[in-house]
Amino acid sequence: MATGVPALGTLLKKATIVDHNEVLSAANAELQRSKGDVNAQHTKAVALLQLDRYDEAVHFFEGAGNALKKTAQLEHAYALYKSGDLEQAQDIAQNIKENRGALHLNAQTHYRLEEFSDAAKIYQNLIEDYQTAVENEENDLRINGSATDAQLEWKRQGDLVQKKKAAREDLEAFETAYNAACACIARGEFGQADFLLKRSNDLCSLSDLSDDLKSDELLPINVQRLYVLSALGKKEEAERLASDITLTEIKELSTRQIAQINKLTTSTKPFNPYLSQRIVHSTLSLPKSDRLFEFQKSLTLQNELALDLLSSKYTGIRNSTAELLSRHTSPTIRPEVNVQSVVNAAAHAQNQLGKLGLTSILPLLEKRPNDVGLILTIVHLYILTNNHGSAITVLETFFKHLDLSATAADQDVRYAPGLVAVMVSLYSIQGRKSHIRTELAKAASYWRHKSKHSPDLFRAAGLALLDSTSSDDRAAAGEIFDTLHGQDPKDKLSAAGYVAAYATTDLTKVKSTLEHLPPITRLTAGIDVDALEAAGVPNVPSAAAENTSKKRAADESTKPVKKRLRKSKLPKDFDPNKAPDPERWLPLRDRSSYRPKGKKGKQKAQALTQGGVSEKGAESLNISNSDGVSKPASTVVSAASKPSTKKKKPKK
C-alpha cells in the first residue's frame, strides 16, 4: 500500500526539516491542487536549492511567473548565481534593499565576475556594519574577504590589499589558512605558502566534517601544495604527493584540470611531449558554473600552446592563432591575446632563436605593426643576440606610432608600466640616464591624471627625477612623491622621496614628515668612514662599456691547460765528449763523405756539381765564343738552344 504525501503546512510547522525531498514532494502535490499558490512555489524553489538542483530551480522560476520572482528575489538570484548566469544574478541582487544576504550574494557575483575591488568594498562595509550581523557571519566574512585579497594579488592589484601577512585568526580555520597561502603564492612567497597549506591540511583533517566532505576539501589543498612544492624544487616530495591524488575523485572539473597539469609537470619520468599534449587536450569542457579565472585560463592556454610547439604542430598553431589575432588589430596588453601572438611567432620561426628566428619573424612586423606580443618577442630575440640597439629601435618606433594616436586605449598601451619598464631596462643597459628620466617622467605625467595608476611606476619616476640637476625635474619629483605620500603616509620610501624633493626649496612643508624618518646616525651606525677614505673611489666601468664586445666571456672556472714540455731524445750512441758532425743536417748524397756505389753512380757523381760552380766557369761567369769575344751566359744559352742544321746519321 502506497504511503500518502504529508501536507505541506504540516511539514513547514516542524522545527527542523531534514528530508528536503519530502518537502519537494509535498510542494508538488500542493501545486497540483493549486498551480498559482505562491507559498507552495516558494517552498518548491527553496527545496530545489537545498538539493543543489540549481538549473531546475532556474527553469522553475522562469515558468512560475513574476509573482514568485518578486516574492523570492534572493532565491531567484542565488539560483542564477549557482547556475552560472552571473550578470543576471548581479542585477537582481543589487536591487534588493536592506538585506545582508543580498549583499553577500552581490559580493559573490562581483567575485566570480572578477570585479574583486568591488567585492572587497562590499565585504568591508559588511564588517563595519556589525550591528546587523547574523550569527556565525563573522567567520564567513573573514573567509570570503581573505579569498578576495588573494585574487587581488593574482590580478596585480596588491596595493588594494591592506593585510600582507597572515594573522593569528587566519591560522584558526583551514579555509582562511588556505586563502592566505594563495595570496602568498601570488606574491611569490612559496616558503610561507607551503607552511600555510600544511596548516590548512592539518586543520581540515582535525575538523568535525564528515569523511566525504573532508576528502572534498583536502583535494584542492593538496593540488595547490603540489604546485608550491614544484616551485620550491622539492621534486621527490611533489611526486609522492601527486601519487596520492586521484583525479577521478575531484568533483570540480576546474580543479581536476589544474591537478592534471600539476601532475604532468611534477613527474620525474622521461618527458614525452606528444603524450602530454594528448592528455591535456583530452580534458572535458568546463560548465558555466565552474569556470576558471582569467589568470588560470591564461596559464592553461600557455601550457597547451607550449605542448603544441614541442609536438612540432607549427601549421596548426599558425592557423589557430592567426584567426584570433585577426580579431584584435588594435594594440592591447591583454595576456590572452599577447600569449597567442608570441606562440604564433614561435610557430613561424619553428622554435629557432637568434638570427634564424629573427629572419622568420621580422616580416610579420610589417603585417602586424600594432602587435605588442610580436614586438616584445622581437625585442627579446635581439637581446639574446646582444643587439640592444636594434631592440631599442623597434620599441621606440612602436612608441612613436602610438604617440600619434588620439585613442585613449592606445595611450594606455603606450604608457603601460610593463612596456615602460622594458624600455627603461634597455636604456639602463646602454647607460642612457637622460632617456630614462624622460620616459619615466612622461609615463608618470600621463597616469597622474588617471584614477588607476601604478605606485611602482611613480616611485621609479620620482627616484629618477631626483637624480637630475634640473629644477623642473625635481619639482616634478616633488609632485609625484607628494601624491604617493598622501595616498599612503606609512610608506617610508614615499616619505623619504617627499622630503628629498622639498628639503632644499620648502623645508617647512616637509618638516613634520622629516621627524618620522629614521635619523642619519642610525643609518650610518655601522659604516667605517676612515676605511672608506683609505680604500678610495673605485673606477667602475659603465654598463655600455661592458657590453661593447660581442664575444662570449670566457668561463672563469675553467683555467688554461699548461703545455707539457717533452724531454729531448738523444741517440743511443751519443757521446757528449765527441763533437757532432756539422754535416748531419744535410742529406747523405750532399755530404762530403758520400761515396756512390757502382760505375753508373760514380759517373753521375762526377757530372753533378752539388750546387757549386763547374770548373770551366769557376774563374768567371762569362763564356768566350770562338771569336774570342765574351758573351753573357744568357746569350750563350740562347745560342746553344738554336737547332742544329747538321743531319744525324740514321741508326742501323
Side-chain angles (χ1 to χ4, degrees), residues 20-272:
H20 297 287
N21 285 309
E22 189 178 2
V23 176
L24 180 60
S25 299
N28 286 330
E30 187 69 25
L31 288 174
Q32 287 180 357
R33 292 190 293 268
S34 177
K35 187 177 180 180
D37 190 345
V38 178
N39 186 26
Q41 291 175 344
H42 192 182
T43 304
K44 179 178 179 179
V46 173
L48 290 173
L49 295 176
Q50 292 289 348
L51 295 171
D52 296 342
R53 295 159 63 173
Y54 304 112
D55 293 335
E56 190 175 346
V58 171
H59 182 71
F60 177 71
F61 270 106
E62 295 299 325
N66 294 329
L68 177 61
K69 292 180 181 180
K70 291 180 180 179
T71 304
Q73 286 182 314
L74 181 60
E75 290 82 355
H76 186 202
Y78 184 74
L80 291 169
Y81 164 74
K82 295 296 290 185
S83 62
D85 294 330
L86 302 177
E87 292 82 0
Q88 191 175 355
Q90 188 181 65
D91 293 339
I92 298 174
Q94 287 177 345
N95 294 325
I96 301 175
K97 306 297 183 183
E98 299 180 357
N99 190 316
R100 290 183 70 87
L103 292 175
H104 276 275
L105 183 58
N106 189 21
Q108 283 298 102
T109 55
H110 280 293
Y111 179 86
R112 289 300 305 173
L113 289 170
E114 303 194 29
E115 300 168 353
F116 303 118
S117 58
D118 296 332
K121 291 178 182 178
I122 296 175
Y123 284 129
Q124 187 62 33
N125 293 334
L126 287 170
I127 293 173
E128 293 174 356
D129 189 16
Y130 63 90
Q131 295 179 353
T132 59
V134 298
E135 187 179 359
N136 296 328
E137 186 182 1
E138 182 181 359
N139 187 43
D140 294 339
L141 288 173
R142 187 183 298 115
I143 293 172
N144 293 338
S146 61
T148 305
D149 290 344
Q151 292 292 348
L152 286 171
E153 295 284 1
W154 278 113
K155 207 170 183 180
R156 300 296 182 263
Q157 295 179 345
D159 54 300
L160 301 177
V161 179
Q162 298 179 357
K163 186 170 61 175
K164 293 292 185 179
K165 293 183 178 181
R168 179 175 296 179
E169 59 269 13
D170 294 330
L171 304 178
E172 296 176 354
F174 72 89
E175 297 95 341
T176 52
Y178 175 80
N179 291 335
C182 292
C184 291
I185 295 172
R187 293 192 294 266
E189 302 169 358
F190 296 107
Q192 183 68 13
D194 188 26
F195 167 77
L196 291 171
L197 288 172
K198 289 181 181 178
R199 176 68 176 174
S200 177
N201 192 312
D202 296 339
L203 291 173
C204 184
S205 300
L206 297 174
S207 64
D208 55 355
L209 297 175
S210 63
D211 293 340
D212 293 339
L213 290 177
K214 282 184 183 180
S215 178
D216 294 342
E217 295 292 347
L218 286 173
L219 281 171
I221 297 173
N222 292 332
V223 170
Q224 194 71 286
R225 188 163 180 258
L226 188 61
Y227 171 75
V228 172
L229 291 174
S230 178
L232 291 173
K234 300 179 180 180
K235 299 294 184 181
E236 296 180 357
E237 189 176 355
E239 190 170 15
R240 287 196 300 269
L241 181 61
S243 62
D244 296 335
I245 298 175
T246 305
L247 297 177
T248 55
E249 294 180 358
I250 303 176
K251 296 180 180 179
E252 294 181 353
L253 294 180
S254 59
T255 306
R256 187 186 301 179
Q257 184 176 356
I258 296 172
Q260 178 69 76
I261 296 174
N262 288 350
K263 291 189 70 173
L264 287 174
T265 55
T266 56
S267 177
T268 57
K269 297 179 181 179
F271 180 66
N272 187 339

Side-chain angles (χ1 to χ4, degrees), residues 288-592:
K288 289 194 304 180
S289 58
D290 191 18
R291 295 181 298 183
L292 294 171
F293 290 101
E294 285 299 327
F295 77 92
Q296 293 174 325
K297 288 181 183 178
S298 178
L299 294 175
T300 304
L301 178 62
Q302 292 180 37
N303 292 328
E304 294 176 355
L305 293 175
L307 288 173
D308 290 342
L309 284 174
L310 293 174
S311 302
S312 303
K313 298 183 179 297
Y314 303 124
T315 304
I317 293 174
R318 287 197 297 264
N319 296 336
S320 62
T321 53
E323 182 180 355
L324 183 138
L325 294 175
S326 63
R327 300 195 298 266
H328 297 84
T329 56
S330 301
T332 180
I333 56 175
R334 292 173 56 189
E336 61 272 15
V337 177
N338 290 322
V339 164
Q340 300 221 19
S341 174
V342 173
V343 175
N344 179 271
H348 277 86
Q350 295 186 0
N351 290 341
Q352 292 178 331
L353 301 177
K355 295 181 179 179
L356 293 176
L358 285 169
T359 303
S360 304
I361 295 174
L362 283 174
L364 299 176
L365 188 59
E366 299 178 0
K367 301 177 182 178
R368 309 199 311 255
N370 295 329
D371 194 333
V372 176
L374 177 62
I375 290 171
L376 291 178
T377 304
I378 294 173
V379 168
H380 185 66
L381 290 178
Y382 273 130
I383 293 174
L384 291 178
T385 57
N386 205 24
N387 192 349
H388 302 104
S390 297
I392 291 175
T393 302
V394 170
L395 205 53
E396 284 181 340
T397 304
F398 178 61
F399 281 178
K400 290 178 182 178
H401 173 68
L402 292 179
D403 287 335
L404 300 176
S405 176
T407 309
D410 291 351
Q411 294 301 309
D412 289 345
V413 174
R414 163 63 180 89
Y415 296 107
L419 293 177
V420 173
V422 173
M423 180 60 82
V424 169
S425 299
L426 291 172
Y427 283 151
S428 178
I429 292 173
Q430 295 195 340
R432 303 186 187 182
K433 294 184 178 180
S434 60
H435 290 75
I436 293 174
R437 283 195 296 269
T438 303
E439 183 64 28
L440 289 173
K442 290 167 63 176
S445 176
Y446 175 79
W447 289 111
R448 198 182 307 159
H449 305 290
K450 300 286 184 177
S451 58
K452 296 181 180 180
H453 60 269
S454 173
D456 294 333
L457 175 63
F458 274 29
R459 294 189 190 98
L463 293 174
L465 292 172
L466 279 178
D467 291 339
S468 175
T469 57
S470 172
S471 58
D472 295 337
D473 290 344
R474 297 186 70 87
E479 294 178 2
I480 292 172
F481 282 117
D482 191 4
T483 304
L484 290 174
H485 184 61
Q487 293 175 352
D488 187 6
K490 297 181 181 180
D491 186 7
K492 294 182 179 180
L493 178 61
S494 301
Y498 177 60
V499 171
Y502 291 103
T504 57
T505 58
D506 192 358
L507 184 60
T508 57
K509 183 177 181 179
V510 297
K511 192 172 183 180
S512 59
T513 307
L514 181 60
E515 296 175 353
H516 294 86
L517 292 177
I520 298 178
T521 55
R522 191 202 305 176
L523 298 175
T524 59
I527 299 176
D528 190 350
V529 179
D530 296 333
L532 290 175
E533 290 183 352
V537 180
N539 186 13
V540 182
S542 63
E546 292 178 357
N547 292 278
T548 53
S549 177
K550 293 184 178 181
K551 293 184 178 180
R552 183 179 62 183
D555 190 359
E556 297 179 356
S557 61
T558 58
K559 297 181 179 180
V561 181
K562 294 182 179 180
K563 292 184 178 180
R564 188 179 65 178
L565 297 178
R566 296 183 178 181
K567 294 182 180 181
S568 59
K569 294 183 179 181
L570 298 174
K572 295 181 180 180
D573 56 348
F574 175 74
D575 186 1
N577 298 323
K578 186 178 179 181
D581 186 7
E583 296 181 351
R584 63 186 182 277
W585 310 114
L586 298 176
L588 288 174
R589 62 183 180 82
D590 293 342
R591 298 182 189 181
S592 60

Side-chain angles (χ1 to χ4, degrees), residues 573-641:
D573 56 348
F574 175 74
D575 186 1
N577 298 323
K578 186 178 179 181
D581 186 7
E583 296 181 351
R584 63 186 182 277
W585 310 114
L586 298 176
L588 288 174
R589 62 183 180 82
D590 293 342
R591 298 182 189 181
S592 60
S593 60
Y594 175 69
R595 296 291 183 269
K597 295 180 180 181
K599 184 177 180 180
K600 292 184 178 180
K602 292 179 180 179
Q603 293 176 355
K604 188 176 181 180
Q606 291 176 356
L608 294 175
T609 62
Q610 295 187 2
V613 182
S614 64
E615 294 179 357
K616 294 181 179 180
E619 296 179 357
S620 174
L621 291 176
N622 294 333
I623 301 176
S624 299
N625 57 8
S626 59
D627 299 333
V629 181
S630 299
K631 292 183 180 181
S634 60
T635 309
V636 175
V637 172
S638 174
S641 60

